């Protein structure tokens, strides 16, 4: 059990150390629903359009919402959720790029196959980065973010929090012993629940264990 917990701690250290802040941006009409399985902070009046993360593997869930209403018709377009999986370069400033529809008819056409028309581009270099982009059918219910996350978990496609660097570090120290995913999830939960002083104390403890 101690070995498994230490492995989880080392994996978490891979997420916390040696990485620089990077930015992922999804400008209107896209908005961010989930970042690495966690709901973004948004309300009915305020949507999330960018987030800062560490370098490494991440999963972003986007939603297209745009109002094309006229005086005669109410036309609010809501696209199926878009899943973006990628390995985020350190210090990158990534953005979602596509040919933006200019009217309701174009939006309907675009949303039939939005994933194939989206590219993820580093704004610093203007170059696209490798990413897995796909859509899933819009889940039923009022809480879209929870519905999407439940679907991804059921399909085994949710973000597991383990980067290649973290797994490699654990393998180098402990051989081929598997990282206990349940222990890692619990460790992440307590980390996110802790105050800054406790997190710093835990970081010092992890370094001492190596």
């Amino acid at each position: 059990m101690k070995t498994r917990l230490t492995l989880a701690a080392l994996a978490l250290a891979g997420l916390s150390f040696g990485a620089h802040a990077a930015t992922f941006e999804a400008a209107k009409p896209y908005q961010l629903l989930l970042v690495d399985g966690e709901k973004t902070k948004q309300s009915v009046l305020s949507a999330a359009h960018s987030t800062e993360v560490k370098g490494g593997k991440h999963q972003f869930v986007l939603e297209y919402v745009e109002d094309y209403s006229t005086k005669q018709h109410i036309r609010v377009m809501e696209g199926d959720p878009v899943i973006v999986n990628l390995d985020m370069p350190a210090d990158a400033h990534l953005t979602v790029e596509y040919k933006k529809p200019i009217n309701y008819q174009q939006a309907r056409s675009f949303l039939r196959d939005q994933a194939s028309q989206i590219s993820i581009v580093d704004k610093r270099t203007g170059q696209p980065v490798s990413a897995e982009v796909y859509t899933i059918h819009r889940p039923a219910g009022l809480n879209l973010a929870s519905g999407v996350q439940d679907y991804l978990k059921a399909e085994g496609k949710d973000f597991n929090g383990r980067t290649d660097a973290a797994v490699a570090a654990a393998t180098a120290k402990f051989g081929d012993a598997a990282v206990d995913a349940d222990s890692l999830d619990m460790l992440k939960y307590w980390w996110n629940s802790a105050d800054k002083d406790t997190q710093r104390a835990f970081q010092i403890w992890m370094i001492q264990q190596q």
Side-chain angles (χ1 to χ4, degrees):
M1 179 63 183
K2 182 179 179 180
T3 299
R4 286 175 177 264
L5 186 58
T6 305
L7 279 169
L10 186 58
L12 182 58
L15 295 174
S16 301
F17 300 129
H20 298 86
T23 302
F24 184 90
E25 177 184 81
K28 294 180 179 180
Y30 277 103
Q31 60 188 29
L32 282 166
L33 291 179
L34 296 164
V35 176
D36 297 339
E38 300 293 330
K39 295 180 184 179
T40 58
K41 294 181 180 179
Q42 56 181 308
S43 67
V44 175
L45 299 177
S46 177
H49 297 285
S50 66
T51 184
E52 285 193 353
V53 295
K54 302 289 187 180
K57 290 187 176 180
H58 294 281
Q59 181 180 78
F60 305 95
V61 178
L62 320 176
E63 182 194 20
Y64 183 104
V65 180
E66 184 68 296
D67 188 354
Y68 293 99
S69 298
T70 65
K71 292 182 179 179
Q72 293 76 29
H73 304 283
I74 296 176
R75 291 173 171 171
V76 178
M77 297 296 295
E78 296 179 318
D80 285 333
V82 178
I83 316 301
V84 179
N85 295 316
L86 55 80
D87 198 340
M88 177 78 80
D91 297 330
H93 186 174
L94 304 188
T95 186
V96 178
E97 287 199 355
Y98 58 98
K99 185 177 180 180
K100 186 176 179 180
I102 62 174
N103 55 42
Y104 176 74
Q105 287 73 24
Q106 286 189 11
R108 289 188 61 185
S109 177
F110 170 78
L111 291 176
R112 291 191 189 103
D113 191 20
Q114 53 184 320
S116 69
Q117 302 179 67
I118 286 174
S119 59
I120 309 300
V121 174
D122 191 334
K123 294 180 72 172
R124 300 175 309 164
T125 64
Q127 297 299 311
V129 300
S130 178
E132 179 188 21
V133 183
Y134 63 94
T135 59
I136 63 173
H137 289 302
R138 191 178 184 87
L142 296 177
N143 195 327
L144 180 60
S146 294
V148 170
Q149 185 63 10
D150 289 345
Y151 173 85
L152 292 173
K153 285 183 177 180
E155 295 294 316
K157 296 181 178 180
D158 58 315
F159 182 75
N160 61 26
R162 288 178 286 174
T163 66
D164 290 341
V167 173
T171 301
K173 189 172 180 69
F174 298 102
D176 294 330
V179 174
D180 188 319
D182 291 335
S183 294
L184 178 58
D185 287 342
M186 184 57 68
L187 191 61
K188 287 171 61 181
Y189 169 79
W190 286 114
W191 171 270
N192 291 328
S193 300
D195 57 34
K196 295 298 182 183
D197 288 339
T198 303
Q199 289 178 347
R200 280 193 290 270
F202 184 62
Q203 288 175 335
I204 294 170
W205 176 84
M206 284 194 297
I207 294 172
Q208 293 171 343
Q209 305 309 304
Q210 299 179 26

PDB file of all heavy atoms in Angstrom, residues 93-97 119-129:
ATOM      1  N   HIS A  93       0.501  29.010 -25.823  1.00  0.00           N
ATOM      2  CA  HIS A  93      -0.750  29.769 -25.764  1.00  0.00           C
ATOM      3  C   HIS A  93      -1.614  29.226 -26.903  1.00  0.00           C
ATOM      4  O   HIS A  93      -1.560  29.721 -28.022  1.00  0.00           O
ATOM      5  CB  HIS A  93      -0.492  31.260 -25.918  1.00  0.00           C
ATOM      6  CG  HIS A  93      -1.721  32.092 -25.715  1.00  0.00           C
ATOM      7  ND1 HIS A  93      -1.721  33.469 -25.693  1.00  0.00           N
ATOM      8  CD2 HIS A  93      -3.026  31.739 -25.527  1.00  0.00           C
ATOM      9  CE1 HIS A  93      -2.956  33.919 -25.498  1.00  0.00           C
ATOM     10  NE2 HIS A  93      -3.762  32.888 -25.407  1.00  0.00           N
ATOM     11  N   LEU A  94      -2.383  28.194 -26.583  1.00  0.00           N
ATOM     12  CA  LEU A  94      -3.150  27.500 -27.605  1.00  0.00           C
ATOM     13  C   LEU A  94      -4.545  28.097 -27.738  1.00  0.00           C
ATOM     14  O   LEU A  94      -5.165  28.513 -26.759  1.00  0.00           O
ATOM     15  CB  LEU A  94      -3.261  26.007 -27.265  1.00  0.00           C
ATOM     16  CG  LEU A  94      -1.940  25.261 -27.067  1.00  0.00           C
ATOM     17  CD1 LEU A  94      -2.203  23.769 -26.923  1.00  0.00           C
ATOM     18  CD2 LEU A  94      -0.966  25.524 -28.209  1.00  0.00           C
ATOM     19  N   THR A  95      -5.032  28.101 -28.953  1.00  0.00           N
ATOM     20  CA  THR A  95      -6.372  28.628 -29.219  1.00  0.00           C
ATOM     21  C   THR A  95      -7.084  27.743 -30.227  1.00  0.00           C
ATOM     22  O   THR A  95      -6.449  27.054 -31.033  1.00  0.00           O
ATOM     23  CB  THR A  95      -6.287  30.076 -29.750  1.00  0.00           C
ATOM     24  OG1 THR A  95      -7.604  30.611 -29.865  1.00  0.00           O
ATOM     25  CG2 THR A  95      -5.606  30.135 -31.102  1.00  0.00           C
ATOM     26  N   VAL A  96      -8.411  27.748 -30.167  1.00  0.00           N
ATOM     27  CA  VAL A  96      -9.250  26.986 -31.096  1.00  0.00           C
ATOM     28  C   VAL A  96      -9.479  27.835 -32.346  1.00  0.00           C
ATOM     29  O   VAL A  96      -9.983  28.957 -32.253  1.00  0.00           O
ATOM     30  CB  VAL A  96     -10.603  26.632 -30.442  1.00  0.00           C
ATOM     31  CG1 VAL A  96     -11.493  25.882 -31.418  1.00  0.00           C
ATOM     32  CG2 VAL A  96     -10.371  25.800 -29.179  1.00  0.00           C
ATOM     33  N   GLU A  97      -9.119  27.303 -33.511  1.00  0.00           N
ATOM     34  CA  GLU A  97      -9.306  28.033 -34.762  1.00  0.00           C
ATOM     35  C   GLU A  97     -10.192  27.252 -35.724  1.00  0.00           C
ATOM     36  O   GLU A  97     -10.119  26.020 -35.794  1.00  0.00           O
ATOM     37  CB  GLU A  97      -7.956  28.331 -35.421  1.00  0.00           C
ATOM     38  CG  GLU A  97      -7.155  29.408 -34.712  1.00  0.00           C
ATOM     39  CD  GLU A  97      -6.076  30.024 -35.583  1.00  0.00           C
ATOM     40  OE1 GLU A  97      -5.884  29.545 -36.729  1.00  0.00           O
ATOM     41  OE2 GLU A  97      -5.417  30.966 -35.120  1.00  0.00           O
ATOM     42  N   SER A 119      -9.005  23.308 -35.643  1.00  0.00           N
ATOM     43  CA  SER A 119      -7.587  23.045 -35.412  1.00  0.00           C
ATOM     44  C   SER A 119      -7.160  23.779 -34.144  1.00  0.00           C
ATOM     45  O   SER A 119      -7.747  24.796 -33.768  1.00  0.00           O
ATOM     46  CB  SER A 119      -6.734  23.488 -36.603  1.00  0.00           C
ATOM     47  OG  SER A 119      -6.908  24.876 -36.855  1.00  0.00           O
ATOM     48  N   ILE A 120      -6.153  23.242 -33.477  1.00  0.00           N
ATOM     49  CA  ILE A 120      -5.611  23.860 -32.269  1.00  0.00           C
ATOM     50  C   ILE A 120      -4.265  24.476 -32.635  1.00  0.00           C
ATOM     51  O   ILE A 120      -3.359  23.773 -33.100  1.00  0.00           O
ATOM     52  CB  ILE A 120      -5.441  22.830 -31.137  1.00  0.00           C
ATOM     53  CG1 ILE A 120      -6.749  22.041 -30.931  1.00  0.00           C
ATOM     54  CG2 ILE A 120      -5.024  23.537 -29.859  1.00  0.00           C
ATOM     55  CD1 ILE A 120      -7.947  22.886 -30.571  1.00  0.00           C
ATOM     56  N   VAL A 121      -4.150  25.779 -32.450  1.00  0.00           N
ATOM     57  CA  VAL A 121      -2.993  26.529 -32.931  1.00  0.00           C
ATOM     58  C   VAL A 121      -2.293  27.228 -31.767  1.00  0.00           C
ATOM     59  O   VAL A 121      -2.949  27.760 -30.866  1.00  0.00           O
ATOM     60  CB  VAL A 121      -3.432  27.572 -33.978  1.00  0.00           C
ATOM     61  CG1 VAL A 121      -2.257  28.460 -34.392  1.00  0.00           C
ATOM     62  CG2 VAL A 121      -4.032  26.872 -35.193  1.00  0.00           C
ATOM     63  N   ASP A 122      -0.966  27.217 -31.795  1.00  0.00           N
ATOM     64  CA  ASP A 122      -0.187  27.962 -30.816  1.00  0.00           C
ATOM     65  C   ASP A 122      -0.070  29.405 -31.307  1.00  0.00           C
ATOM     66  O   ASP A 122       0.538  29.671 -32.350  1.00  0.00           O
ATOM     67  CB  ASP A 122       1.205  27.342 -30.660  1.00  0.00           C
ATOM     68  CG  ASP A 122       1.972  27.917 -29.467  1.00  0.00           C
ATOM     69  OD1 ASP A 122       1.689  29.070 -29.090  1.00  0.00           O
ATOM     70  OD2 ASP A 122       2.833  27.217 -28.922  1.00  0.00           O
ATOM     71  N   LYS A 123      -0.640  30.338 -30.571  1.00  0.00           N
ATOM     72  CA  LYS A 123      -0.670  31.739 -30.994  1.00  0.00           C
ATOM     73  C   LYS A 123       0.725  32.368 -31.033  1.00  0.00           C
ATOM     74  O   LYS A 123       0.943  33.362 -31.725  1.00  0.00           O
ATOM     75  CB  LYS A 123      -1.590  32.550 -30.081  1.00  0.00           C
ATOM     76  CG  LYS A 123      -3.057  32.144 -30.179  1.00  0.00           C
ATOM     77  CD  LYS A 123      -3.945  32.962 -29.269  1.00  0.00           C
ATOM     78  CE  LYS A 123      -4.113  34.389 -29.750  1.00  0.00           C
ATOM     79  NZ  LYS A 123      -5.136  35.121 -28.968  1.00  0.00           N
ATOM     80  N   ARG A 124       1.661  31.792 -30.302  1.00  0.00           N
ATOM     81  CA  ARG A 124       3.021  32.342 -30.319  1.00  0.00           C
ATOM     82  C   ARG A 124       3.698  32.104 -31.663  1.00  0.00           C
ATOM     83  O   ARG A 124       4.455  32.937 -32.150  1.00  0.00           O
ATOM     84  CB  ARG A 124       3.872  31.707 -29.220  1.00  0.00           C
ATOM     85  CG  ARG A 124       3.374  31.912 -27.800  1.00  0.00           C
ATOM     86  CD  ARG A 124       4.255  31.132 -26.844  1.00  0.00           C
ATOM     87  NE  ARG A 124       4.396  29.745 -27.292  1.00  0.00           N
ATOM     88  CZ  ARG A 124       5.330  28.918 -26.854  1.00  0.00           C
ATOM     89  NH1 ARG A 124       6.226  29.336 -25.974  1.00  0.00           N
ATOM     90  NH2 ARG A 124       5.386  27.672 -27.289  1.00  0.00           N
ATOM     91  N   THR A 125       3.458  30.925 -32.238  1.00  0.00           N
ATOM     92  CA  THR A 125       4.148  30.542 -33.469  1.00  0.00           C
ATOM     93  C   THR A 125       3.243  30.555 -34.689  1.00  0.00           C
ATOM     94  O   THR A 125       3.730  30.555 -35.824  1.00  0.00           O
ATOM     95  CB  THR A 125       4.733  29.126 -33.323  1.00  0.00           C
ATOM     96  OG1 THR A 125       3.653  28.180 -33.160  1.00  0.00           O
ATOM     97  CG2 THR A 125       5.653  29.040 -32.107  1.00  0.00           C
ATOM     98  N   GLY A 126       1.925  30.527 -34.468  1.00  0.00           N
ATOM     99  CA  GLY A 126       0.981  30.433 -35.571  1.00  0.00           C
ATOM    100  C   GLY A 126       0.877  29.036 -36.149  1.00  0.00           C
ATOM    101  O   GLY A 126       0.193  28.826 -37.160  1.00  0.00           O
ATOM    102  N   GLN A 127       1.526  28.057 -35.505  1.00  0.00           N
ATOM    103  CA  GLN A 127       1.545  26.699 -36.015  1.00  0.00           C
ATOM    104  C   GLN A 127       0.531  25.813 -35.280  1.00  0.00           C
ATOM    105  O   GLN A 127       0.344  25.947 -34.063  1.00  0.00           O
ATOM    106  CB  GLN A 127       2.944  26.088 -35.861  1.00  0.00           C
ATOM    107  CG  GLN A 127       4.020  26.810 -36.655  1.00  0.00           C
ATOM    108  CD  GLN A 127       3.735  26.780 -38.142  1.00  0.00           C
ATOM    109  OE1 GLN A 127       3.438  25.724 -38.711  1.00  0.00           O
ATOM    110  NE2 GLN A 127       3.805  27.946 -38.779  1.00  0.00           N
ATOM    111  N   PRO A 128      -0.117  24.896 -36.008  1.00  0.00           N
ATOM    112  CA  PRO A 128      -1.027  23.952 -35.342  1.00  0.00           C
ATOM    113  C   PRO A 128      -0.247  22.960 -34.498  1.00  0.00           C
ATOM    114  O   PRO A 128       0.913  22.657 -34.787  1.00  0.00           O
ATOM    115  CB  PRO A 128      -1.731  23.266 -36.515  1.00  0.00           C
ATOM    116  CG  PRO A 128      -0.789  23.396 -37.666  1.00  0.00           C
ATOM    117  CD  PRO A 128      -0.071  24.694 -37.471  1.00  0.00           C
ATOM    118  N   VAL A 129      -0.886  22.465 -33.446  1.00  0.00           N
ATOM    119  CA  VAL A 129      -0.289  21.436 -32.607  1.00  0.00           C
ATOM    120  C   VAL A 129      -1.127  20.160 -32.734  1.00  0.00           C
ATOM    121  O   VAL A 129      -2.305  20.209 -33.063  1.00  0.00           O
ATOM    122  CB  VAL A 129      -0.213  21.876 -31.133  1.00  0.00           C
ATOM    123  CG1 VAL A 129       0.621  23.141 -30.983  1.00  0.00           C
ATOM    124  CG2 VAL A 129      -1.612  22.108 -30.559  1.00  0.00           C
TER     125      VAL A 129
END
